[in-house]
Every structure is written in C-alpha cells, then in structure tokens.
Amino acid sequence: FSSCIALADLHGDGENKLVVGDLGTGSCNMKLKVYRGTGLMSENTLLDLPTGLVSFLMDQHEPRTPAIAVASGPFIYVYKNLRPYFKFTLPPLEVNALEQDVWNQAREVIMVIISATLLPSPRDKADVPLSVRSLRFLMLDPQDMEAFVNLHKAQPIRRQTVITCIGTLKKNMADEDAVSCLVIGTESKDVYILDPEAFTILSKMSVPSAPTQMDVTGQFDVEFRITVACRNGNIYILRRDSPKPKYCIELSSHPVGLVRMGKSVVVGCAQETLQGFTQKGKKLWTACLPAPVTTMGVMDLPTRGFQAVLVGLANCEVHLYRDKNLISTIKTPDVVTSICFGKYGREDGTLIMTTKGGGLIVKILKRTAVFDDRDSAPGPPLAQSIRLNIPKKTKLYVDQTMRERENAVAMHRAFQMDLSRLRLAAARAYVKALESSLTPMSSSLSEPLKMNAVVQGLGPSFKLTLNIQNTAACRPVMHLAISFLYDESLYSMRTAFFKIPLLVPGLNYPIDTFVECLSDKGISDIIKVFVLREGKSAPLLTAHINMPVSEGLALN
C-alpha cells in the first residue's frame, strides 16, 4: 500500500532508493525490501505485518543518512544502514479494575465458571475496555475455560494497542534534511509524537475514533497541523498545544485517501468522489470520479512550482488532478494499489506504482512536459466555479426591495399588461407583413417561394442580383413575373420587368439587372421588388432593397 513505500537516499550518495514494506502472504514471508531501479537490492525479514513505513533523519551526525521506521503491531522497528537499530514499544494501556480483580480471584478452579459471569460484557461501553485475554476467555466454551485460566492466571494482565498509521514531523526546521519526529496513530484513538533520538513521547493527543490515515505538516517546536482520517468517517485536524481536535470535517462517505496540497486538504471518498477542503474544514469543491478510489498520492515539483493529486482508480487508471481540474490520465495494465512520486535514482520527477498483481511500474516525467490548468474532463467550464464578487446591499437596493414587496400585485399586473400589448403589436405587424407579402418567403402553399437580393458596385452603376428558389418538394411553379418599383428621378433600370415561365423545385435561379444612379447629391432610396402571378393582383413576395449611396462619378 502507499503507506508502506518510501523513497530515501539510504547511502548518502545522492541516489534515492525505493523502500517497500512487503506484506508477503498476509501471515508469513513479510519483508523489508530495497529496490534500485527495478532490481531488488536487499531485503530484511519482518516479524509482523507492516502498517506503515517512513524514512526520517534522526540526528545531525555525518554522513546524513536517513533511518527507516517500520510500524508493525505495537512496535516500531528502526533500521539504520538497513540494519536493526532500535525497537520502540507503545506504552501499555490502563486495565479495567473489575477485570483485574476477577483475574486475581481466579486462582482456584472453583472460580473459573464464576469468572465468566463476573467479567463485564464487551458490549457494555465501559470507560476502560477489556483486554484481549478476557475477550478470548469469554469466547470459549465452558469446558475449555479451566485450561485457559490455568495457562494464563499466573501472568499479569496487559492491555496493548497497535499502530494504525505513521508519519513524520520536522522538529524545528523546515529544511529537507532537517531532523524529524515520528507521528503515530493507534487503535486506542491516540496520536503520539516521538522524539527522534531518545524515542520518548513528546506529545499525546486524542481523537474520537481510531485513525486510519494521517497527513502531517509544520514543525513541532513552532507550529504544526496533523490531519487525521478516522474510522468513523470523519476527518479531524490537530494543532500544537491542543490535545483535542481543533476542527472536524464530516464526510458523507468514508475516506479512502487523504493528501494535503498547499493549504487545502484533498479527500478521496468511497462514493467515487474527490473533495477539497480548507485547513479549517470548509468545503471548496467536489469532483466525480469514474471508478472507486484505490490509493492517492501527491505530485510535488518544487522546481516548477507545480503541485497536483494522483488518484489511482479501480478501472486501471491513474488521474492527475489540480484542484478539481483533471490534468492528465495514465492507463495501467492492472489496478494500482500504491503511488509514490519523488526523486528516484537521480531523476527528480519519478512516478512509482505497484499493482494488485504484484507488479512494479516506474515512469519518469519528461523534462519538456507542460501541464495546462484547463480541465480535460467533460463538463461545465472552469469559469463556472469562480465565485462572483457580489457587492454589498446599498440603501437604494433595500428601498427598491421594500417597494417591490409592498406593490408586488400592482407591479405584476402592469407587467402582464405590457406583455399583452407587446404580443398584440407583434401579431399585428406579422399579419400586416403577410397581407402585403413583405416576408422573404411566401405564405402561399401552392407557390412556396424564397427570394434574396444582392447589390454589387460602388456606383453610379450597380448590379442587382435576385436569387429565387422554389421550396416545394416536387411541384414546379409556372407563369411568374418580377416587377421593380423605384423613384425614376433617382434611378434608371435597363430591365424593370422579367417573366419566369418555370421554376423547378430545389434549384436557385439568379436574375441580374443593372441600376443606374442619376443623382450626384449623395442620396439613396429603396427599390421594391414584386414577385407576381399572372392573373392575380396581390404579389406573392415583396422585397425592399436599401440601395447604397453612389460613391463613383459618372463618365462623360
């Protein structure tokens, strides 16, 4: 998983190695493996399943080589130079007083059966839960209880918790090679910060539920924030000098992935959504995903000032998001279970992925790669998510609002009256246009015609082209005539009357004529065009052509 892989310069030679906490079969063959490139460099046997793995600098000694901390059960195994260096054990928890008294009395065989009735029920929400020994005892059949008590009654009762997640926190400097503290979350709903040298508990904080994922930022001696995703589906934010959570983010579904990008927290949820929040828990955005989230990671390129979120999906894809915008999509041959981005070998931008089938995928970012901020996913434009700068309410706005409230009925009636008048005026104009055939298309079903006019030239001579088309499906139109009406003191036309014997459906018929402007005063007028049917006085079509002003001079 992503919590069990890390990149570290283990030998101080400037070449980062890949450190992996291998789960083995789940019950045996657990290994701490180190890869160089795609080849296995070394491996160490782990005693239990690893729940988390981090690399950190624990002192200022030269050479500055990081240590590896592996969380497993209630222990943290620290490796330096890939050799076991230190083993830290979580402090034991308080034992239930009633449980302690019952086990102290269970020295005789006659008390065995009575012990089962005296122990509190695990369903009772006591202040101090039962130990693992008592829980196992209550699960046994009556005939097996005596042997269990005889085996364990001489041993003291201990209640031990286990580690669920682990992270690192810079101690007093934000430099990349600064000393870091270990931050661990436990099943007992506690978060511990450990000293990197003495491995003593520097701080202890509590959350309402068992933590499952954790993101840490800041410095322990200055100010820090620990963002914890818990098993109850909520996210809690812990700060310095506060043993309880400062803020709480309530999610609609359980968190699957948690990363921090700049000053925002990005959460992948089980409902196939990606959500962004501020440091105080205010929701910023939501992006819908095409498949369930399997793992998440941060893509950080400080040399370019670029940060994005890598999201592994169950449909064999890895999506790259910057805020809610999908920047890129990577296809993988199998479902990705862990993601790690950083310096690997001597390459600064390397993406390392492990797959469900046990594969290792290493991709190197091109030095010429360009990331656009535009969203490559279909959907609303980016500008739609930008909040409008709404001005404050002025006194005029408040007065108008009050007037609208008091006179709402009268204003609505006036609006309806104006709307009715507008509709009436539009209907009258439409009827007038139909009666005088002013429309560019005829309203007659027997002669469906369409006409448009084009005027060419600067003057005083103009070329007038009429394009007439029969829009009927299969019926021709016959015996048509075209006539022009104009001011004879301003214009003269070579041909002012045309006869059209036949219009075939679907064809465009251009009719050209020339117009001569007789005035040199720079004035123009309208030329009316009528499309007539022989034997009818009313035109089928009428067009008004606005003639341009003559800009040329007539030749003598």
Short mmCIF file of all heavy atoms in Angstrom, two decimals, residues 56 76 88-91 163 165-172 179-186 189-207 211 214-228 237-244:
data_model
loop_
_atom_site.label_atom_id
_atom_site.label_comp_id
_atom_site.label_asym_id
_atom_site.label_seq_id
_atom_site.Cartn_x
_atom_site.Cartn_y
_atom_site.Cartn_z
N PHE A 56 13.30 8.96 7.81
CA PHE A 56 13.47 10.22 8.54
C PHE A 56 14.90 10.34 9.02
O PHE A 56 15.60 9.33 9.22
CB PHE A 56 12.50 10.29 9.72
CG PHE A 56 12.82 9.34 10.85
CD1 PHE A 56 13.32 9.79 12.05
CD2 PHE A 56 12.61 7.97 10.70
CE1 PHE A 56 13.60 8.91 13.08
CE2 PHE A 56 12.88 7.09 11.73
CZ PHE A 56 13.39 7.56 12.93
N ILE A 76 7.61 -0.22 16.76
CA ILE A 76 8.24 0.50 15.65
C ILE A 76 9.67 -0.01 15.56
O ILE A 76 10.45 0.12 16.52
CB ILE A 76 8.22 2.02 15.86
CG1 ILE A 76 6.79 2.55 15.86
CG2 ILE A 76 9.03 2.73 14.77
CD1 ILE A 76 6.69 4.04 16.10
N PHE A 88 10.93 0.35 19.36
CA PHE A 88 10.09 1.13 20.26
C PHE A 88 8.77 0.39 20.47
O PHE A 88 8.16 -0.11 19.53
CB PHE A 88 9.82 2.52 19.68
CG PHE A 88 8.80 3.31 20.45
CD1 PHE A 88 9.16 3.97 21.61
CD2 PHE A 88 7.48 3.39 20.03
CE1 PHE A 88 8.22 4.70 22.33
CE2 PHE A 88 6.53 4.11 20.74
CZ PHE A 88 6.92 4.77 21.90
N THR A 89 8.34 0.32 21.72
CA THR A 89 7.09 -0.34 22.07
C THR A 89 6.11 0.69 22.62
O THR A 89 6.49 1.52 23.46
CB THR A 89 7.32 -1.44 23.12
OG1 THR A 89 8.32 -2.34 22.65
CG2 THR A 89 6.04 -2.21 23.38
N LEU A 90 4.89 0.64 22.16
CA LEU A 90 3.87 1.55 22.67
C LEU A 90 3.63 1.31 24.16
O LEU A 90 3.67 0.17 24.62
CB LEU A 90 2.55 1.35 21.92
CG LEU A 90 2.49 1.88 20.48
CD1 LEU A 90 1.17 1.47 19.85
CD2 LEU A 90 2.62 3.38 20.46
N PRO A 91 3.40 2.35 24.93
CA PRO A 91 3.13 2.15 26.35
C PRO A 91 1.85 1.36 26.57
O PRO A 91 0.88 1.52 25.81
CB PRO A 91 3.02 3.58 26.89
CG PRO A 91 2.67 4.42 25.72
CD PRO A 91 3.34 3.77 24.54
N ILE A 163 -0.42 0.01 16.26
CA ILE A 163 -0.26 1.20 15.42
C ILE A 163 -1.09 1.03 14.15
O ILE A 163 -1.05 -0.02 13.51
CB ILE A 163 1.23 1.42 15.08
CG1 ILE A 163 2.03 1.63 16.37
CG2 ILE A 163 1.40 2.61 14.14
CD1 ILE A 163 3.52 1.65 16.17
N CYS A 165 -1.33 3.94 11.76
CA CYS A 165 -0.73 4.78 10.73
C CYS A 165 0.48 5.50 11.31
O CYS A 165 0.60 5.65 12.53
CB CYS A 165 -1.74 5.78 10.15
SG CYS A 165 -2.60 6.76 11.40
N ILE A 166 1.38 5.95 10.44
CA ILE A 166 2.62 6.58 10.87
C ILE A 166 2.99 7.69 9.90
O ILE A 166 2.68 7.61 8.70
CB ILE A 166 3.75 5.53 10.99
CG1 ILE A 166 5.02 6.15 11.59
CG2 ILE A 166 4.05 4.88 9.65
CD1 ILE A 166 6.07 5.14 11.96
N GLY A 167 3.62 8.74 10.41
CA GLY A 167 4.09 9.85 9.58
C GLY A 167 5.28 10.51 10.23
O GLY A 167 5.75 10.08 11.30
N THR A 168 5.79 11.58 9.61
CA THR A 168 6.94 12.31 10.15
C THR A 168 6.60 13.79 10.26
O THR A 168 5.80 14.32 9.49
CB THR A 168 8.18 12.14 9.26
OG1 THR A 168 7.88 12.62 7.94
CG2 THR A 168 8.60 10.69 9.19
N LEU A 169 7.25 14.46 11.24
CA LEU A 169 7.05 15.87 11.51
C LEU A 169 8.41 16.51 11.77
O LEU A 169 9.16 16.03 12.63
CB LEU A 169 6.12 16.06 12.71
CG LEU A 169 5.97 17.48 13.28
CD1 LEU A 169 5.31 18.39 12.26
CD2 LEU A 169 5.18 17.46 14.58
N LYS A 170 8.75 17.56 11.00
CA LYS A 170 10.02 18.25 11.22
C LYS A 170 10.06 18.80 12.65
O LYS A 170 9.05 19.31 13.15
CB LYS A 170 10.17 19.41 10.22
CG LYS A 170 10.10 18.99 8.75
CD LYS A 170 11.30 18.17 8.34
CE LYS A 170 11.26 17.85 6.86
NZ LYS A 170 12.35 16.99 6.42
N LYS A 171 11.25 18.70 13.26
CA LYS A 171 11.32 19.08 14.68
C LYS A 171 11.39 20.59 14.87
O LYS A 171 10.57 21.18 15.57
CB LYS A 171 12.53 18.42 15.35
CG LYS A 171 12.46 18.49 16.88
CD LYS A 171 13.50 17.61 17.51
CE LYS A 171 13.27 17.49 19.02
NZ LYS A 171 13.11 18.75 19.71
N ASN A 172 12.36 21.25 14.27
CA ASN A 172 12.48 22.69 14.48
C ASN A 172 12.86 23.46 13.23
O ASN A 172 12.97 24.68 13.27
CB ASN A 172 13.51 22.99 15.58
CG ASN A 172 14.79 22.20 15.40
OD1 ASN A 172 15.15 21.85 14.27
ND2 ASN A 172 15.49 21.93 16.48
N VAL A 179 16.02 17.32 11.00
CA VAL A 179 15.66 16.20 11.87
C VAL A 179 14.13 16.14 12.00
O VAL A 179 13.47 17.18 12.14
CB VAL A 179 16.32 16.37 13.25
CG1 VAL A 179 15.85 15.30 14.22
CG2 VAL A 179 17.84 16.32 13.11
N SER A 180 13.59 14.93 11.97
CA SER A 180 12.13 14.76 12.00
C SER A 180 11.72 13.88 13.17
O SER A 180 12.43 12.95 13.57
CB SER A 180 11.63 14.11 10.70
OG SER A 180 11.94 14.92 9.60
N CYS A 181 10.54 14.18 13.74
CA CYS A 181 9.93 13.35 14.77
C CYS A 181 8.98 12.34 14.10
O CYS A 181 8.50 12.57 12.99
CB CYS A 181 9.13 14.21 15.75
SG CYS A 181 10.07 15.54 16.53
N LEU A 182 8.72 11.26 14.79
CA LEU A 182 7.76 10.28 14.32
C LEU A 182 6.39 10.60 14.91
O LEU A 182 6.27 10.93 16.09
CB LEU A 182 8.17 8.86 14.73
CG LEU A 182 9.40 8.27 14.03
CD1 LEU A 182 9.67 6.87 14.56
CD2 LEU A 182 9.19 8.22 12.53
N VAL A 183 5.34 10.51 14.06
CA VAL A 183 3.97 10.71 14.50
C VAL A 183 3.21 9.42 14.22
O VAL A 183 3.23 8.91 13.09
CB VAL A 183 3.31 11.88 13.74
CG1 VAL A 183 1.89 12.13 14.26
CG2 VAL A 183 4.14 13.14 13.86
N ILE A 184 2.59 8.84 15.25
CA ILE A 184 1.92 7.56 15.08
C ILE A 184 0.48 7.65 15.59
O ILE A 184 0.19 8.34 16.57
CB ILE A 184 2.67 6.42 15.82
CG1 ILE A 184 2.86 6.76 17.30
CG2 ILE A 184 3.99 6.11 15.16
CD1 ILE A 184 3.50 5.63 18.10
N GLY A 185 -0.43 7.00 14.87
CA GLY A 185 -1.81 6.86 15.30
C GLY A 185 -2.05 5.44 15.75
O GLY A 185 -1.55 4.48 15.14
N THR A 186 -2.84 5.25 16.80
CA THR A 186 -3.03 3.94 17.40
C THR A 186 -4.50 3.55 17.42
O THR A 186 -5.40 4.39 17.25
CB THR A 186 -2.49 3.92 18.84
OG1 THR A 186 -3.27 4.80 19.65
CG2 THR A 186 -1.04 4.36 18.88
N LYS A 189 -7.24 5.23 19.74
CA LYS A 189 -7.70 6.58 19.42
C LYS A 189 -6.74 7.66 19.90
O LYS A 189 -7.14 8.80 20.17
CB LYS A 189 -9.09 6.84 20.02
CG LYS A 189 -10.12 5.79 19.68
CD LYS A 189 -11.43 6.04 20.40
CE LYS A 189 -12.42 4.90 20.20
NZ LYS A 189 -13.66 5.11 20.95
N ASP A 190 -5.45 7.33 20.00
CA ASP A 190 -4.43 8.29 20.44
C ASP A 190 -3.47 8.57 19.29
O ASP A 190 -3.24 7.73 18.42
CB ASP A 190 -3.64 7.75 21.63
CG ASP A 190 -4.52 7.60 22.86
OD1 ASP A 190 -5.40 8.46 23.08
OD2 ASP A 190 -4.33 6.61 23.61
N VAL A 191 -2.89 9.77 19.32
CA VAL A 191 -1.84 10.17 18.39
C VAL A 191 -0.63 10.58 19.21
O VAL A 191 -0.72 11.46 20.07
CB VAL A 191 -2.32 11.33 17.48
CG1 VAL A 191 -1.17 11.79 16.58
CG2 VAL A 191 -3.50 10.91 16.63
N TYR A 192 0.52 9.94 18.97
CA TYR A 192 1.74 10.19 19.71
C TYR A 192 2.77 10.86 18.79
O TYR A 192 2.86 10.54 17.60
CB TYR A 192 2.35 8.90 20.24
CG TYR A 192 1.52 8.17 21.27
CD1 TYR A 192 0.69 7.12 20.89
CD2 TYR A 192 1.57 8.52 22.61
CE1 TYR A 192 -0.08 6.44 21.82
CE2 TYR A 192 0.80 7.84 23.56
CZ TYR A 192 -0.02 6.80 23.16
OH TYR A 192 -0.77 6.13 24.08
N ILE A 193 3.53 11.78 19.36
CA ILE A 193 4.69 12.37 18.68
C ILE A 193 5.93 11.95 19.46
O ILE A 193 6.03 12.20 20.67
CB ILE A 193 4.59 13.90 18.61
CG1 ILE A 193 3.32 14.31 17.85
CG2 ILE A 193 5.82 14.49 17.93
CD1 ILE A 193 3.11 15.81 17.76
N LEU A 194 6.89 11.27 18.78
CA LEU A 194 8.06 10.69 19.43
C LEU A 194 9.31 11.52 19.14
O LEU A 194 9.48 12.03 18.03
CB LEU A 194 8.28 9.25 18.95
CG LEU A 194 7.11 8.28 19.08
CD1 LEU A 194 7.52 6.90 18.61
CD2 LEU A 194 6.61 8.23 20.52
N ASP A 195 10.17 11.60 20.13
CA ASP A 195 11.47 12.25 19.96
C ASP A 195 12.33 11.40 19.03
O ASP A 195 12.40 10.18 19.18
CB ASP A 195 12.15 12.41 21.32
CG ASP A 195 13.46 13.15 21.20
OD1 ASP A 195 13.43 14.40 21.18
OD2 ASP A 195 14.50 12.48 21.11
N PRO A 196 13.04 12.01 18.04
CA PRO A 196 13.78 11.21 17.07
C PRO A 196 15.04 10.55 17.62
O PRO A 196 15.54 9.60 17.02
CB PRO A 196 14.12 12.22 15.97
CG PRO A 196 14.10 13.54 16.66
CD PRO A 196 13.07 13.44 17.74
N GLU A 197 15.56 11.04 18.75
CA GLU A 197 16.80 10.47 19.28
C GLU A 197 16.55 9.53 20.46
O GLU A 197 17.01 8.39 20.47
CB GLU A 197 17.76 11.60 19.69
CG GLU A 197 18.29 12.38 18.50
CD GLU A 197 19.29 13.43 18.91
OE1 GLU A 197 19.02 14.19 19.86
OE2 GLU A 197 20.36 13.52 18.28
N ALA A 198 15.80 10.02 21.45
CA ALA A 198 15.56 9.21 22.64
C ALA A 198 14.32 8.33 22.51
O ALA A 198 14.11 7.42 23.33
CB ALA A 198 15.41 10.11 23.87
N PHE A 199 13.48 8.58 21.52
CA PHE A 199 12.23 7.85 21.30
C PHE A 199 11.33 7.89 22.53
O PHE A 199 10.71 6.90 22.90
CB PHE A 199 12.51 6.41 20.86
CG PHE A 199 13.05 6.32 19.47
CD1 PHE A 199 14.41 6.19 19.26
CD2 PHE A 199 12.22 6.39 18.38
CE1 PHE A 199 14.93 6.13 17.98
CE2 PHE A 199 12.72 6.34 17.09
CZ PHE A 199 14.09 6.21 16.89
N THR A 200 11.30 9.05 23.16
CA THR A 200 10.34 9.30 24.23
C THR A 200 9.13 10.02 23.66
O THR A 200 9.20 10.63 22.58
CB THR A 200 10.97 10.16 25.35
OG1 THR A 200 11.48 11.37 24.76
CG2 THR A 200 12.10 9.41 26.03
N ILE A 201 8.01 9.96 24.35
CA ILE A 201 6.78 10.58 23.88
C ILE A 201 6.82 12.07 24.20
O ILE A 201 6.81 12.47 25.36
CB ILE A 201 5.55 9.90 24.50
CG1 ILE A 201 5.48 8.44 24.08
CG2 ILE A 201 4.28 10.63 24.11
CD1 ILE A 201 4.38 7.65 24.74
N LEU A 202 6.88 12.90 23.15
CA LEU A 202 6.91 14.35 23.34
C LEU A 202 5.51 14.92 23.53
O LEU A 202 5.34 15.88 24.28
CB LEU A 202 7.56 15.03 22.12
CG LEU A 202 9.02 14.68 21.84
CD1 LEU A 202 9.47 15.35 20.54
CD2 LEU A 202 9.90 15.13 22.99
N SER A 203 4.54 14.35 22.87
CA SER A 203 3.18 14.86 22.96
C SER A 203 2.20 13.72 22.71
O SER A 203 2.49 12.79 21.95
CB SER A 203 2.96 15.99 21.93
OG SER A 203 1.63 16.45 21.97
N LYS A 204 1.05 13.81 23.36
CA LYS A 204 -0.01 12.82 23.19
C LYS A 204 -1.32 13.57 22.96
O LYS A 204 -1.69 14.45 23.72
CB LYS A 204 -0.12 11.92 24.42
CG LYS A 204 -1.26 10.90 24.32
CD LYS A 204 -1.40 10.10 25.60
CE LYS A 204 -2.61 9.16 25.55
NZ LYS A 204 -2.81 8.41 26.79
N MET A 205 -2.03 13.19 21.89
CA MET A 205 -3.32 13.80 21.55
C MET A 205 -4.34 12.69 21.31
O MET A 205 -3.96 11.56 20.99
CB MET A 205 -3.19 14.68 20.32
CG MET A 205 -2.34 15.93 20.55
SD MET A 205 -1.87 16.79 19.04
CE MET A 205 -0.51 15.77 18.51
N SER A 206 -5.60 13.03 21.43
CA SER A 206 -6.66 12.04 21.28
C SER A 206 -7.65 12.48 20.21
O SER A 206 -7.89 13.68 20.03
CB SER A 206 -7.41 11.82 22.60
OG SER A 206 -6.52 11.37 23.60
N VAL A 207 -8.23 11.50 19.53
CA VAL A 207 -9.29 11.74 18.54
C VAL A 207 -10.47 10.85 18.89
O VAL A 207 -10.32 9.84 19.59
CB VAL A 207 -8.79 11.45 17.10
CG1 VAL A 207 -7.84 12.53 16.63
CG2 VAL A 207 -8.13 10.09 17.00
N PRO A 211 -7.63 6.30 14.23
CA PRO A 211 -7.14 6.90 12.98
C PRO A 211 -6.74 5.83 11.98
O PRO A 211 -6.23 4.76 12.34
CB PRO A 211 -5.92 7.71 13.43
CG PRO A 211 -5.48 7.08 14.70
CD PRO A 211 -6.71 6.50 15.35
N MET A 214 -3.16 9.61 7.84
CA MET A 214 -2.65 10.79 8.51
C MET A 214 -1.80 11.61 7.55
O MET A 214 -1.08 11.04 6.72
CB MET A 214 -1.82 10.33 9.72
CG MET A 214 -1.53 11.42 10.73
SD MET A 214 -1.02 10.70 12.31
CE MET A 214 0.21 9.51 11.79
N ASP A 215 -1.89 12.94 7.66
CA ASP A 215 -1.03 13.84 6.92
C ASP A 215 -0.51 14.89 7.90
O ASP A 215 -1.31 15.48 8.65
CB ASP A 215 -1.78 14.50 5.76
CG ASP A 215 -0.86 15.33 4.89
OD1 ASP A 215 -0.64 16.52 5.20
OD2 ASP A 215 -0.34 14.78 3.91
N VAL A 216 0.81 15.13 7.89
CA VAL A 216 1.44 15.99 8.89
C VAL A 216 2.18 17.10 8.17
O VAL A 216 2.86 16.87 7.15
CB VAL A 216 2.42 15.19 9.78
CG1 VAL A 216 2.93 16.06 10.91
CG2 VAL A 216 1.76 13.93 10.31
N THR A 217 2.09 18.33 8.69
CA THR A 217 2.82 19.47 8.14
C THR A 217 3.22 20.41 9.27
O THR A 217 2.58 20.44 10.32
CB THR A 217 1.97 20.21 7.10
OG1 THR A 217 2.73 21.26 6.53
CG2 THR A 217 0.71 20.79 7.72
N GLY A 218 4.32 21.16 9.05
CA GLY A 218 4.79 22.13 10.04
C GLY A 218 6.02 21.64 10.79
O GLY A 218 6.69 20.68 10.38
N GLN A 219 6.33 22.32 11.91
CA GLN A 219 7.45 21.93 12.78
C GLN A 219 6.94 21.79 14.21
O GLN A 219 6.10 22.58 14.65
CB GLN A 219 8.58 22.98 12.74
CG GLN A 219 9.22 23.13 11.38
CD GLN A 219 8.73 24.36 10.65
OE1 GLN A 219 8.69 25.44 11.23
NE2 GLN A 219 8.34 24.21 9.40
N PHE A 220 7.48 20.82 14.93
CA PHE A 220 7.00 20.54 16.28
C PHE A 220 7.26 21.71 17.23
O PHE A 220 6.41 22.05 18.06
CB PHE A 220 7.67 19.27 16.82
CG PHE A 220 7.29 18.95 18.24
CD1 PHE A 220 6.05 18.40 18.53
CD2 PHE A 220 8.14 19.23 19.29
CE1 PHE A 220 5.68 18.12 19.83
CE2 PHE A 220 7.79 18.95 20.60
CZ PHE A 220 6.55 18.39 20.87
N ASP A 221 8.43 22.35 17.12
CA ASP A 221 8.78 23.44 18.04
C ASP A 221 8.12 24.77 17.66
O ASP A 221 8.17 25.72 18.43
CB ASP A 221 10.29 23.63 18.08
CG ASP A 221 11.00 22.44 18.74
OD1 ASP A 221 10.32 21.68 19.46
OD2 ASP A 221 12.21 22.27 18.51
N VAL A 222 7.55 24.87 16.48
CA VAL A 222 6.95 26.14 16.03
C VAL A 222 5.43 26.00 15.97
O VAL A 222 4.71 26.48 16.83
CB VAL A 222 7.53 26.54 14.65
CG1 VAL A 222 7.00 27.91 14.24
CG2 VAL A 222 9.06 26.56 14.70
N GLU A 223 4.93 25.39 14.92
CA GLU A 223 3.50 25.18 14.73
C GLU A 223 3.32 24.02 13.77
O GLU A 223 4.06 23.87 12.80
CB GLU A 223 2.83 26.45 14.18
CG GLU A 223 1.34 26.33 13.90
CD GLU A 223 0.54 26.02 15.16
OE1 GLU A 223 0.82 26.63 16.21
OE2 GLU A 223 -0.36 25.18 15.08
N PHE A 224 2.32 23.18 14.02
CA PHE A 224 2.09 22.03 13.14
C PHE A 224 0.60 21.73 13.08
O PHE A 224 -0.19 22.13 13.94
CB PHE A 224 2.87 20.80 13.62
CG PHE A 224 2.49 20.29 14.98
CD1 PHE A 224 1.40 19.44 15.16
CD2 PHE A 224 3.22 20.68 16.11
CE1 PHE A 224 1.05 18.98 16.41
CE2 PHE A 224 2.87 20.23 17.37
CZ PHE A 224 1.78 19.37 17.52
N ARG A 225 0.23 21.01 12.01
CA ARG A 225 -1.13 20.52 11.83
C ARG A 225 -1.06 19.05 11.48
O ARG A 225 -0.28 18.66 10.62
CB ARG A 225 -1.86 21.27 10.71
CG ARG A 225 -2.17 22.72 11.00
CD ARG A 225 -2.76 23.38 9.76
NE ARG A 225 -2.93 24.81 9.95
CZ ARG A 225 -4.06 25.40 10.34
NH1 ARG A 225 -5.12 24.65 10.56
NH2 ARG A 225 -4.14 26.69 10.49
N ILE A 226 -1.86 18.26 12.15
CA ILE A 226 -1.97 16.83 11.85
C ILE A 226 -3.40 16.57 11.41
O ILE A 226 -4.34 16.74 12.20
CB ILE A 226 -1.61 15.97 13.08
CG1 ILE A 226 -0.19 16.30 13.58
CG2 ILE A 226 -1.71 14.49 12.74
CD1 ILE A 226 0.20 15.57 14.84
N THR A 227 -3.56 16.21 10.15
CA THR A 227 -4.88 15.90 9.59
C THR A 227 -5.08 14.39 9.66
O THR A 227 -4.31 13.64 9.06
CB THR A 227 -4.98 16.39 8.15
OG1 THR A 227 -4.59 17.77 8.09
CG2 THR A 227 -6.39 16.26 7.62
N VAL A 228 -6.10 13.95 10.39
CA VAL A 228 -6.29 12.53 10.68
C VAL A 228 -7.65 12.10 10.13
O VAL A 228 -8.69 12.68 10.47
CB VAL A 228 -6.23 12.26 12.19
CG1 VAL A 228 -6.32 10.77 12.46
CG2 VAL A 228 -4.95 12.83 12.79
N ILE A 237 -8.58 17.67 12.61
CA ILE A 237 -7.35 18.45 12.44
C ILE A 237 -6.82 18.81 13.82
O ILE A 237 -7.50 19.51 14.59
CB ILE A 237 -7.61 19.70 11.59
CG1 ILE A 237 -8.10 19.29 10.20
CG2 ILE A 237 -6.34 20.54 11.47
CD1 ILE A 237 -8.52 20.43 9.32
N LEU A 238 -5.62 18.31 14.13
CA LEU A 238 -4.97 18.56 15.42
C LEU A 238 -3.92 19.65 15.26
O LEU A 238 -3.24 19.71 14.22
CB LEU A 238 -4.31 17.28 15.94
CG LEU A 238 -5.25 16.09 16.21
CD1 LEU A 238 -4.44 14.81 16.35
CD2 LEU A 238 -6.07 16.33 17.46
N ARG A 239 -3.79 20.50 16.27
CA ARG A 239 -2.79 21.57 16.23
C ARG A 239 -1.96 21.55 17.50
O ARG A 239 -2.28 20.86 18.46
CB ARG A 239 -3.48 22.92 16.06
CG ARG A 239 -4.27 23.04 14.76
CD ARG A 239 -4.83 24.41 14.56
NE ARG A 239 -3.79 25.41 14.39
CZ ARG A 239 -4.03 26.71 14.17
NH1 ARG A 239 -5.29 27.13 14.09
NH2 ARG A 239 -3.05 27.57 14.04
N ARG A 240 -0.90 22.33 17.50
CA ARG A 240 0.02 22.39 18.64
C ARG A 240 -0.72 22.92 19.88
O ARG A 240 -1.61 23.76 19.79
CB ARG A 240 1.20 23.29 18.28
CG ARG A 240 2.22 23.47 19.40
CD ARG A 240 3.35 24.37 18.92
NE ARG A 240 4.19 24.76 20.04
CZ ARG A 240 5.18 24.02 20.53
NH1 ARG A 240 5.45 22.86 19.97
NH2 ARG A 240 5.90 24.44 21.54
N ASP A 241 -0.34 22.39 21.04
CA ASP A 241 -0.89 22.81 22.34
C ASP A 241 -2.39 22.56 22.45
O ASP A 241 -3.11 23.27 23.15
CB ASP A 241 -0.59 24.29 22.62
CG ASP A 241 0.90 24.59 22.64
OD1 ASP A 241 1.66 23.69 23.05
OD2 ASP A 241 1.28 25.70 22.25
N SER A 242 -2.89 21.56 21.73
CA SER A 242 -4.31 21.23 21.82
C SER A 242 -4.44 19.71 21.81
O SER A 242 -4.25 19.09 20.76
CB SER A 242 -5.09 21.85 20.66
OG SER A 242 -6.43 21.46 20.73
N PRO A 243 -4.73 19.09 22.96
CA PRO A 243 -4.82 17.62 22.99
C PRO A 243 -6.04 17.07 22.27
O PRO A 243 -6.09 15.89 21.96
CB PRO A 243 -4.88 17.31 24.48
CG PRO A 243 -5.45 18.54 25.11
CD PRO A 243 -4.96 19.68 24.29
N LYS A 244 -7.03 17.93 22.00
CA LYS A 244 -8.24 17.51 21.31
C LYS A 244 -8.26 18.13 19.91
O LYS A 244 -7.59 19.13 19.64
CB LYS A 244 -9.49 17.94 22.09
CG LYS A 244 -9.60 17.31 23.47
CD LYS A 244 -9.90 15.82 23.37
CE LYS A 244 -10.09 15.22 24.76
NZ LYS A 244 -10.37 13.77 24.68
#
